Amino acid sequence: MMATAMDPSPPHAPPDRYAALDLLADPTLVVGAGGLVEYCNSMAARLLGVPPGQVIGRPAAQAVPLFDDAQADWWECVDPLRADAGLLPRIPELYLYVRPERAPPRLVTLTAARIPAAGGRTGRLVVSLRRAERRQRLDAARSDLVSTVSHELRSPLTSVKGFTKTLLAKWDRFTDEQKRQMLATVNEDADRVTRLLGELLDVSRIDAGRLQLQRHMVDVTEVVHRMVERLRTRDSDDERVVAVLPPGLPRLYADPDKVEQIFTNLVENALKYSDGEVRIGATVLDRSVLFTVADRGAGIPMAHLDHIFTKFFRRPGERRTGTGLGLFITKGLVEAHGGRIWAESVPDEGARFFVSLPLGGLELAGIGSDPSEARRAL
Ligand code: ADP
């Protein structure tokens, strides 16, 4: 289309055939055989810090400077337009730095497709640049995961293997009490492995947004008492846990197993990181029930309060065993219920965790008409 005096389109208005590329969420450019940028979508313009009109028509190597780790100019070294589009139709994903004139340098992943012209030569190159910082963080988190998992699995498995081997080889040389102690350790370590595997499954479900809740109207008081009982039968010293919940706490529309897991994680932490009493409380507010789990341990320094819910965060120098996944999972479980979790702490006076779970039920679920369920909700 010819530009006329009345035509408001800029001199480098993108050809209509590329209009659909503007809908892509990834920065995308089309470079012609001569090396000039033919099209730049708005995400690419944003990445480069200039309007598309200031990129289109310019040599790609200048408008979109790309460098590898060794500071080598990618356009110059690879000369991507020279290759035969029939033989090498795609450039597989690679990490590069884009160093725009008007925007901060960024790590990106580049993928590109060569569109053939007559004779198999490259007629155009469609380049897609994706910001890679998030991806790099994920890669780093993944390798943290692998190293934490290997470490956390190795120590209990080493002990399971060691004690079992010793018992099998020298059964008659140990007293009953010694054998009981070794088997108790093996039993505990096997539990640790099971727990860790459970945590990893939860983390991957939370990360993938695939946490499934089996919700119905739940009496949280019952859930909390059941959990306290369970802890007492498991660890005899857990007279330390005291639940003081107001009578007649409204039922919540929640997944009872997940709610139990939320309280178990917070209470087990409180038991682990303090010596005294651990108190569970609740207050009914306008639209939510606010639960608290408070201990009287050393507390959490202010600087760490924001980080404790992050995956793998453990306080520097923490000597008690753990993976740093518990609070991340707890937060994921609370948020899946539409709730919030946070912590407060006065050093040396203990830590207090708050969990707010929304009140109401059927309307949260979009259920309206089952009168028996509605009655139970009250
Ligand atoms: P883990 O206990 O496996 O390290 P969590 O995610 O449960 O992982 O907790 C993260 C960190 O937060 C812990 O390493 C600990 O330093 C701190 N923390 C959690 N709960 C408490 C508490 N009640 N008192 C003091 N510090 C705590």
Side-chain angles (χ1 to χ4, degrees):
M1 204 204 313
M2 289 266 292
T4 65
M6 297 297 290
D7 186 348
S9 44
H12 292 300
D16 279 350
R17 66 183 153 196
Y18 295 142
L21 296 183
D22 212 42
L23 302 174
L24 295 181
D26 288 330
T28 305
L29 300 132
V30 180
V31 181
L36 300 185
V37 178
E38 284 186 3
Y39 180 67
C40 165
N41 76 355
S42 12
M43 293 310 280
R46 199 189 295 179
L47 178 74
L48 298 168
V50 286
Q54 290 187 27
V55 182
I56 297 169
R58 291 182 62 198
Q62 282 171 21
V64 194
L66 291 167
F67 294 87
D68 67 12
D69 264 351
Q71 315 295 331
D73 182 324
W74 180 76
W75 295 101
E76 203 178 298
C77 295
V78 174
D79 200 358
L81 291 154
R82 272 259 302 271
D84 186 310
L87 290 176
L88 295 169
R90 304 198 65 79
I91 299 180
E93 183 177 88
L94 68 157
Y95 281 98
L96 290 173
Y97 290 92
V98 57
R99 283 214 223 113
E101 290 153 13
R102 300 277 168 82
R106 283 192 179 280
L107 182 67
V108 292
T109 54
L110 174 145
T111 46
R114 295 187 173 93
I115 298 178
R121 297 174 59 84
T122 297
R124 283 193 179 81
L125 188 69
V126 181
V127 180
S128 162
L129 302 172
R130 211 172 267 181
R131 289 188 184 175
E133 289 99 348
R134 196 178 120 78
R135 169 85 172 274
Q136 210 185 31
R137 271 202 304 277
L138 286 178
D139 284 350
R142 227 168 268 145
S143 68
D144 276 357
L145 183 78
V146 172
S147 64
T148 308
V149 172
S150 331
H151 177 263
E152 288 294 316
L153 282 177
R154 184 177 302 145
S155 57
L157 284 178
T158 309
S159 116
V160 166
K161 175 74 189 154
F163 283 124
T164 321
K165 195 173 166 194
T166 312
L167 280 171
L168 283 173
K170 302 177 184 164
W171 183 260
D172 295 329
R173 290 208 221 148
F174 294 109
T175 64
D176 281 357
E177 180 51 23
Q178 285 171 322
K179 288 193 275 211
R180 204 197 58 76
Q181 271 182 14
M182 285 190 219
L183 286 172
T185 313
V186 168
N187 188 38
E188 254 171 46
D189 285 330
D191 283 347
R192 247 173 91 188
V193 174
T194 313
R195 206 163 47 236
L196 176 65
L197 293 177
E199 284 186 348
L200 289 172
L201 279 175
D202 284 340
V203 167
S204 74
R205 287 194 195 111
I206 291 169
D207 279 347
R210 264 197 255 118
L211 203 67
Q212 301 239 328
L213 298 184
Q214 309 290 331
R215 296 219 230 188
H216 50 90
M217 297 312 295
V218 173
D219 181 346
V220 180
T221 306
E222 232 173 74
V223 173
V224 168
H225 285 140
R226 194 170 59 225
M227 176 215 61
V228 173
E229 263 326 293
R230 212 174 32 77
L231 287 179
R232 288 208 176 129
T233 21
R234 205 188 62 190
D235 308 316
S236 46
D237 81 323
D238 286 338
E239 296 301 320
R240 289 169 55 200
V241 186
V242 182
V244 190
L245 302 178
L249 212 58
R251 287 164 176 262
L252 298 179
Y253 183 62
D255 180 326
D257 293 340
K258 304 284 193 271
V259 170
E260 184 167 343
Q261 199 180 342
I262 292 169
F263 285 106
T264 309
N265 287 355
L266 294 178
V267 170
E268 282 184 340
N269 270 355
L271 290 170
K272 181 160 74 166
Y273 296 109
S274 79
D275 297 320
E277 185 180 274
V278 173
R279 194 167 264 264
I280 308 172
T283 318
V284 182
L285 302 176
D286 241 11
R287 293 157 165 265
S288 61
V289 180
L290 183 62
F291 295 93
T292 50
V293 175
D295 64 58
R296 301 201 189 138
I300 303 165
M302 194 65 166
H304 295 151
L305 276 176
D306 278 349
H307 303 296
I308 51 176
F309 297 99
T310 314
K311 209 188 304 180
F312 296 121
F313 178 81
R314 308 210 67 222
R315 293 210 357 241
E318 185 57 72
R319 272 184 276 124
R320 279 154 285 208
T321 59
T323 53
L325 293 175
L327 288 177
F328 172 78
I329 294 169
T330 310
K331 181 168 188 270
L333 295 173
V334 171
E335 288 178 351
H337 281 88
R340 278 202 325 120
I341 183 168
W342 68 98
E344 289 175 7
S345 174
V346 176
D348 295 327
E349 286 184 23
R352 184 181 292 264
F353 284 80
F354 296 85
V355 171
S356 126
L357 292 175
L359 267 176
L362 305 180
E363 73 278 10
L364 286 178
I367 309 169
S369 52
D370 178 352
S372 64
E373 196 152 11
R375 254 195 312 281
R376 264 186 283 133
L378 293 173

